[in-house]
Amino acid sequence: MNLQTVILFSMATLFLGAAVTLLMPYSRRTIGWISLFFQTVASLGFLYTALRVLARGTFNLDKPVFQVAGLGASFLLKVDALSAIFLLVITVVSWAAGLYSIEYMKHYKESLARYYPLLLLFLLGMYGVVVVRDLFFFIVFWEFMTLTSYALVVYEWGNRTNVNAGFKYFLMTHIGTAGIIIAANTLYHYSQSFDFNALGPVMGLLMSDNPVLLHTLLLLFFLGFATKAGIFPFGDWLPDAHPAAPSPISAILSGVMIKMGIYGILRVFLGMLPVSHFSYTWGLILTIFGTLSLFIGTMTAMYQHDAKRVLAFHSIGQNGYVLLGIGAGIMLLPISPALATIAIIAGLYHLINHSTFKSLLFLTAGSLQYKTGTKDLDLMGGLGKYMPWTAACGIIAAFGISGIPPLNGFVSKWFIYHATLNGGFAVPILLLAGVVALFTSLLTMASVMVKFTGLAFFGQRTKANENVNSDVPRTMIAGQVILAVLVVLQGILVVWITKTLYAGVTGLLTPGYWPKFSSVININQGGLALNLGEGPVGFYKPLFVLLALAVLTLAVWVIWKSGGSKQKVSALWYSGEVQSPEAVRYYANSYFKTFKQHFNIRIGKYSQEGVYPNWKVPKIHKSFKLKHLLDVDDWLYRPLVYVGHKVLEVFAGTHSGFPQWYLLWMVIGAAVALFIMFMVG
Amino acid sequence: MNSVIKITGMLLVLLFLSPLLEGLLRKFKALVHSRIGPPLLQPYWDTLKLLGKDNVRSVHSLLGPLPAYLSLAAVLLAGLLVPVGGTSAFAGGDMILFLYMIGLASVCVMLAGMDSGSPYAFLGIAREMMTSLTVEPVLFIALITAALKTHSFRFSDMAFYQQTSGTSLSMIISGIALLLGIQAQLSKLPFDIPEAEGELMGGPFIEISGPTFSLYRWGFIIKQLIFSLILVQIFFPWTFGLSGLWAVLAQIAKILVVVLLVGLVDVVNPRLRIDQAMIYYFGVVLTALVGLVFALVGA
């Protein structure tokens, strides 16, 4: 089957699905299944596309599907290995979230006509972004994605906080997108084409002719993509928007959508920008912002007690890891291609890992919200006993994000440390970035592993969730289990994934530039050994580690069992007093207080808690006239309605209910009619 | 086959020789206190006795003794990565895997504490995590310094470095920082803040007893050996010109010196508050960073 047909058919399916779910007045559950059906058909199409591209090589369309002659844009499709990787990420995460939605969305009061159609169109936007080769249509799909996701963020529009969060998201991403549009148009001025392939040489040309312009364009691209990717400080919309959206949408936003910013960065800074000192400069900038983002995002997560806000700040942090890997790679390209390959693979590996464990954590937070009706971690506690599946999946995800071997987070972090620390021998700033990344990994462990799971699943049940007695419905569990299995598998199938990512990375530049896979990474016994030319520098064999841990655990179990001790269960010991769980609970704010104190900011008179800038933007006092002018409702619509209403009230007064009055009206009416007749006649 | 023998041998050493070190340490502490102290083999008897006692767990427990198995297994796997006589028993000894295995062991302790549901345990865990947050950096910065000198992240290469290229200032500074950090890594006084028997009644371990508790205790004892080995093998691998059996004895003597030094500090100090300890840890991190900077400029 022709891949072009498959891609267009899948896109059409999503469109059709949006139309059908919008128009069908079925029950909340049925409409969910219908939506999932269309999503599954489209997912299969894209899955086929992705796997075929990975197996047989790039699909590249020479002739555009159609052209917009007046704008110079042509709808060109290209799916290379990098696009295929993103297609897989979108497909898997969104399918799990779609399955999860069916039951989850039942507990909202708002109409589902604003959920499923928009969800399908949102997916269409993201799929579109990664399959086109034309910057114009890239931006079209990009906008499609932004607008639909905005509408999904403000799904609960009755809540003022959510609407404000949505507006912030809308405004910030559009400022970023404006930058991308300006940059695209400027490039078009030189190339007379929006084709990705034509833009690379233009950048090469600008490099010698007008370096200032090129730097400006790259800055605009960077701002646009970094805003979408939620990189600190551009991603300030993220911690507000993610908690506002329904949980499956938060999962897709965090697991997939913010990765589109990274996709854009890869396409522009690696696919278009020729390897030169520009790569070094911009790689350095990406590295610095990545490091800043990973530290500040994760550190700030420690101050939160709203389950989804904790995770949202971690998204800033974890995307910082991704950007650090990719930035280090772009930076090292002119210096050492071998290290650059490892660094970019590291970034991409973390990207796919983050897409699974973070969306799983958001679904976990969603399940907690579904059962307890709150997002506040302080009101939860001891839920593991009653929600075993959710707890198990949540703990796996927490292990994953903390990078505990042999789960997926460890592999990508292992890659990142090796890339940055080895790169640090050449460029010391990378060494610093690596040290910060290692430290931040501990912070992640502290706030997700200890705080999030500790508060939600362990300890004693509080009064607030006394009536939680069962786990979430089966389809929701299924959505979580799919992702949990992936978290484990991504940690084990390292060889296959690394090879795929290598194909994705090397497709971006001329083939001869990259070192051979076998010369950088040696594969033996299902594991990896990094080699930078002077013999292996690091080993990781997940199967060996897994086997060793299993055997050792078994051995320890034998020792534990050997004493033949009796098993007993006892109540908690409170130094002999009887205490309610609320009275003795260790609350979210108390966690790590002494440690956090050392990270408060004090500049002159200004002081604040934590490293995340939370100063208030001064309110602009609009003059009354300007505000009046902007508010069309106020000076046009409402006065008109008022007048109309008054007029109609006069007529309404005629209906008094007494027959005499009606007779009088008839007489008057007849008189008026006669009068008119005589006057006209 | 050779590696299987090596791994088994190392496991046996870790499991069955490390309690002897603990016994010596206890004897030494008693000496400082002017007591007679327990017999040298007391740690073995303690473990045996605990294994036979009733295993009492809290009503809120979900995981049971699972974290205990995993914790000891992780410590043992970390021990297999540690270089002995210049080579590691397992997989070339990747430094990052080692760091995360030590991390896994402490995560398991925290899981066990959370699992018990006791507020004392939660308090202890938060302290344990804060300690990790400030002490683990010392370990990895020191090891990164060694990696920077060696240009490799394998313990085997690191252990050989000083024998071939001689010692350097940065390695000595890092070694000292690591020595200062070990006290807290092993939760010894004045840094036994997470357990704080007099205050939190054992912190994470308050609801843990019998065989499960013996596994955690064993893990701590093994960790003591692991950290001394890291310090002695990578940062102070000097053999004083000795060779053969004498060199091995010199290494053992150095391990004893490290452990007794830690014990001496333990026995003469009262427990610090967490905020006081935190400031001390930051100082140690700073020392380790100084070592790293020295390594960067080539010293």
Side-chain angles (χ1 to χ4, degrees):
Chain A
M1 214 176 358
N2 188 359
L3 276 187
Q4 183 190 337
T5 328
V6 176
I7 293 172
L8 293 179
F9 170 75
S10 306
M11 285 184 160
T13 313
L14 288 173
F15 244 123
L16 186 68
V20 169
T21 46
L22 184 66
L23 297 176
M24 284 208 168
Y26 287 128
S27 76
R28 292 179 91 86
R29 188 185 285 169
T30 318
I31 206 163
W33 283 109
I34 292 172
S35 161
L36 188 69
F37 168 74
F38 283 102
Q39 201 190 328
T40 312
V41 172
S43 296
L44 286 176
F46 283 114
L47 207 61
Y48 172 75
T49 313
L51 293 178
R52 200 172 120 142
V53 165
L54 289 178
R56 301 224 189 129
T58 309
F59 160 73
N60 199 348
L61 202 60
D62 300 324
K63 269 201 300 188
V65 180
F66 64 89
Q67 276 178 315
V68 187
L71 292 168
S74 43
F75 193 76
L76 282 162
L77 292 174
K78 180 185 179 184
V79 186
D80 58 3
L82 185 70
S83 305
I85 292 162
F86 278 88
L87 281 181
L88 286 177
V89 168
I90 300 172
T91 306
V92 171
V93 173
S94 67
W95 199 83
L99 184 64
Y100 183 89
S101 296
I102 297 167
E103 290 290 331
Y104 183 79
M105 293 313 289
K106 271 168 60 187
H107 83 284
Y108 280 101
K109 284 193 279 302
E110 283 83 2
S111 162
L112 284 182
R114 287 192 303 106
Y115 183 77
Y116 287 114
L118 286 167
L119 172 66
L120 294 176
L121 292 179
F122 178 35
L123 294 181
L124 174 64
M126 290 193 295
Y127 280 126
V129 164
V130 296
V131 296
V132 295
R133 201 183 78 198
D134 185 89
L135 198 51
F136 179 82
F137 282 99
F138 178 87
I139 293 169
V140 168
F141 279 118
W142 185 266
E143 259 315 280
F144 213 87
M145 172 177 93
T146 308
L147 290 175
T148 45
S149 56
Y150 160 72
L152 287 167
V153 166
V154 295
Y155 180 69
E156 277 183 274
W157 54 279
N159 187 339
R160 193 153 186 82
T161 342
N162 292 358
V163 176
N164 284 342
F167 181 67
K168 195 172 177 184
Y169 168 51
F170 185 83
L171 200 67
M172 290 188 77
T173 43
H174 275 90
I175 292 170
T177 312
I180 300 176
I181 293 173
I182 292 168
N185 278 321
T186 317
L187 281 176
Y188 179 75
H189 175 71
Y190 287 92
S191 67
Q192 295 302 316
S193 162
F194 281 116
D195 192 344
F196 283 167
N197 294 349
L199 298 179
V202 170
M203 284 198 177
L205 201 71
L206 282 177
M207 207 174 276
S208 50
D209 285 2
N210 198 345
V212 178
L213 179 66
L214 185 55
H215 272 305
T216 317
L217 293 181
L218 290 175
L219 178 69
L220 288 174
F221 274 124
F222 169 67
L223 287 180
F225 292 135
T227 308
K228 198 65 171 177
I231 296 302
F232 179 85
F234 315 110
D236 195 42
W237 58 270
L238 198 150
D240 296 323
H242 282 200
S247 291
I249 297 303
S250 314
I252 298 180
L253 284 179
S254 187
V256 189
M257 194 198 69
I258 59 171
K259 308 299 187 307
M260 293 301 142
I262 303 289
Y263 176 80
I265 285 175
L266 277 172
R267 279 277 176 235
V268 172
F269 289 89
L270 204 59
M272 291 183 199
L273 188 68
V275 177
S276 59
H277 63 281
F278 273 76
S279 315
Y280 183 84
T281 314
W282 281 95
L284 182 64
I285 291 171
L286 296 179
T287 309
I288 290 171
F289 276 103
T291 315
L292 208 65
S293 189
L294 73 90
F295 177 69
I296 289 180
T298 315
M299 191 68 213
T300 312
M302 294 181 80
Y303 291 83
Q304 312 301 324
H305 58 96
D306 175 320
K308 283 170 90 174
R309 236 176 130 72
V310 172
L311 301 177
F313 274 108
H314 273 294
S315 289
I316 296 183
Q318 299 295 313
N319 236 19
Y321 271 102
V322 177
L323 195 67
L324 168 62
I326 285 165
I330 294 172
M331 185 180 173
L332 291 167
L333 260 180
I335 303 170
S336 156
L339 259 177
T341 318
I342 292 175
I344 298 171
I345 288 178
L348 275 178
Y349 209 134
H350 202 69
L351 185 147
I352 62 166
N353 289 346
H354 180 240
S355 74
T356 48
F357 58 58
K358 184 51 67 63
S359 39
L360 177 52
L361 280 170
F362 268 114
L363 294 188
T364 309
S367 296
L368 291 170
Q369 195 185 353
Y370 182 84
K371 288 309 268 190
T372 62
T374 176
K375 290 185 286 181
D376 195 344
L377 285 170
D378 277 341
L379 298 175
M380 299 173 190
L383 290 169
K385 205 168 212 163
Y386 308 96
M387 304 170 71
W389 285 96
T390 307
C393 293
I395 292 169
I396 288 177
F399 266 72
I401 198 174
S402 315
I404 304 292
L407 297 181
N408 61 2
F410 176 73
V411 191
S412 50
K413 285 183 179 177
W414 179 82
F415 263 119
I416 288 176
Y417 302 144
H418 272 299
T420 49
L421 297 177
N422 276 310
F425 302 152
V427 192
I429 192 150
L430 281 180
L431 198 67
L432 182 70
V435 172
V436 173
L438 259 166
F439 176 60
T440 305
S441 181
L442 284 168
L443 292 178
T444 316
M445 196 186 282
S447 58
V448 182
M449 188 67 231
V450 177
K451 196 165 135 185
F452 181 84
T453 61
L455 283 170
F457 298 124
F458 294 107
Q460 303 177 58
R461 196 153 65 146
T462 54
K463 271 218 175 67
N465 49 43
E466 252 178 357
N467 43 10
V468 179
N469 282 317
S470 59
D471 212 330
V472 288
R474 278 207 196 110
T475 46
M476 284 167 77
I477 293 178
Q480 295 172 36
V481 168
I482 291 171
L483 291 172
V485 168
L486 279 172
V487 169
V488 177
L489 282 184
Q490 283 171 350
I492 309 239
L493 301 174
V494 287
V495 173
W496 187 79
I497 292 175
T498 315
K499 276 186 174 162
T500 310
L501 295 178
Y502 174 81
V505 173
T506 45
L508 281 172
L509 283 180
T510 43
Y513 192 79
W514 302 95
K516 274 216 171 59
F517 183 78
S518 53
S519 72
V520 184
I521 298 167
N522 304 335
I523 291 171
N524 54 347
Q525 296 149 332
L528 307 168
L530 300 183
N531 189 344
L532 300 171
E534 307 163 355
V537 288
F539 293 97
Y540 181 55
K541 295 176 188 162
L543 288 176
F544 268 44
V545 171
L546 197 64
L547 191 73
L549 270 181
V551 169
L552 289 172
T553 307
L554 204 68
V556 171
W557 177 76
V558 169
I559 294 174
W560 182 82
K561 198 79 181 158
S562 63
S565 61
K566 269 187 277 177
Q567 303 297 314
K568 282 185 184 170
V569 176
S570 82
L572 285 185
W573 167 252
Y574 288 127
S575 314
E577 294 175 34
V578 179
Q579 301 282 10
S580 75
E582 284 83 7
V584 293
R585 190 181 162 82
Y586 198 60
Y587 284 99
N589 283 343
S590 321
Y591 274 86
F592 321 126
K593 209 163 194 171
T594 330
F595 177 77
K596 289 190 289 193
Q597 276 168 2
H598 295 278
F599 290 89
N600 294 344
I601 293 178
R602 244 171 268 109
I603 306 169
K605 275 182 190 168
Y606 180 80
S607 70
Q608 69 160 60
E609 209 180 41
V611 285
Y612 199 86
N614 57 358
W615 46 70
K616 297 271 180 299
V617 180
K619 272 217 171 112
I620 306 161
H621 292 286
K622 290 166 282 188
S623 74
F624 176 71
K625 266 188 185 159
L626 180 67
K627 190 180 162 196
H628 194 67
L629 201 69
L630 284 173
D631 196 348
V632 181
D633 286 4
D634 201 40
W635 56 262
L636 184 68
Y637 179 69
R638 268 188 226 118
L640 275 179
V641 169
Y642 183 74
V643 171
H645 196 72
K646 280 284 163 211
V647 170
L648 292 174
E649 250 178 19
V650 172
F651 282 103
T654 59
H655 286 278
S656 56
F658 295 106
Q660 299 93 321
W661 281 107
Y662 289 112
L663 277 174
L664 182 65
W665 297 136
M666 280 170 78
V667 172
I668 292 173
V672 171
L674 281 173
F675 179 73
I676 291 170
M677 269 171 72
F678 282 115
M679 287 306 284
V680 174
Chain B
M1 205 59 225
N2 195 18
S3 64
V4 173
I5 294 168
K6 241 176 162 180
I7 288 173
T8 327
M10 188 67 194
L11 276 180
L12 291 177
V13 167
L14 286 171
L15 276 172
F16 300 113
L17 229 52
S18 55
L20 196 65
L21 203 62
E22 173 74 8
L24 268 173
L25 188 63
R26 277 188 172 183
K27 209 66 181 164
F28 174 73
K29 277 188 202 170
L31 202 71
V32 179
H33 279 159
S34 332
R35 294 185 279 124
I36 296 172
L40 202 58
L41 297 182
Q42 190 61 38
Y44 295 96
W45 311 139
D46 285 351
T47 306
L48 282 179
K49 183 154 192 179
L50 278 173
L51 281 175
K53 284 203 168 256
D54 287 352
N55 193 37
V56 186
R57 66 191 174 100
S58 123
V59 273
H60 300 288
S61 173
L62 304 171
L63 306 171
L66 196 68
Y69 309 150
L70 207 55
S71 166
L72 188 51
V75 171
L76 287 175
L77 189 52
L80 290 182
L81 298 170
V82 168
V84 176
T87 53
S88 307
F90 186 75
D94 189 85
M95 174 195 123
I96 289 162
L97 186 60
F98 170 79
L99 288 175
Y100 272 88
M101 276 300 151
I102 293 289
L104 177 57
S106 51
V107 162
C108 286
V109 171
M110 289 183 233
L111 260 183
M114 294 194 292
D115 189 42
S116 70
S118 165
Y120 291 110
F122 276 90
L123 201 59
I125 292 155
R127 291 179 178 187
E128 169 101 27
M129 194 68 232
M130 278 191 275
T131 312
S132 291
L133 281 173
T134 35
V135 176
E136 299 270 323
V138 179
L139 180 63
F140 64 70
I141 292 171
L143 287 175
I144 287 171
T145 310
L148 193 65
K149 298 302 282 185
T150 324
H151 278 229
S152 169
F153 289 87
R154 296 164 69 200
F155 278 142
S156 312
D157 296 342
M158 289 181 194
F160 271 118
Y161 168 73
Q162 290 203 19
Q163 286 164 17
T164 49
S165 328
T167 187
S168 59
L169 187 61
S170 55
M171 286 293 250
I172 292 174
I173 294 176
S174 309
I176 290 170
L178 194 54
L179 183 62
L180 295 174
I182 280 184
Q183 200 80 23
Q185 283 275 9
L186 298 173
S187 306
K188 297 268 179 199
L189 277 170
F191 305 115
D192 73 331
I193 304 161
E195 283 85 32
E197 276 78 8
E199 182 189 354
L200 298 182
M201 296 173 277
F205 305 112
I206 178 171
E207 296 288 336
I208 293 165
S209 60
T212 315
F213 183 62
S214 85
L215 295 184
Y216 289 116
R217 247 176 45 97
W218 212 340
F220 268 104
I221 292 172
I222 295 172
K223 254 180 160 175
Q224 196 166 305
L225 180 62
I226 289 176
F227 281 111
S228 335
L229 268 175
I230 288 273
L231 194 63
V232 165
Q233 289 282 316
I234 293 176
F235 294 94
F236 306 116
W238 317 318
T239 47
F240 312 105
L242 300 169
S243 62
L245 193 62
W246 288 108
V248 176
L249 284 178
Q251 300 291 356
I252 292 173
K254 276 189 294 177
I255 291 174
L256 279 181
V257 168
V258 170
V259 171
L260 294 186
L261 216 56
V262 169
L264 187 63
V265 178
D266 177 69
V267 85
V268 298
N269 275 300
R271 184 170 58 246
L272 288 176
R273 281 201 320 267
I274 183 85
D275 53 330
Q276 296 166 330
M278 208 58 88
I279 288 166
Y280 170 81
Y281 298 151
F282 282 126
V284 181
V285 173
L286 212 62
T287 317
L289 277 175
V290 169
L292 186 62
V293 170
F294 270 110
L296 272 178
V297 299

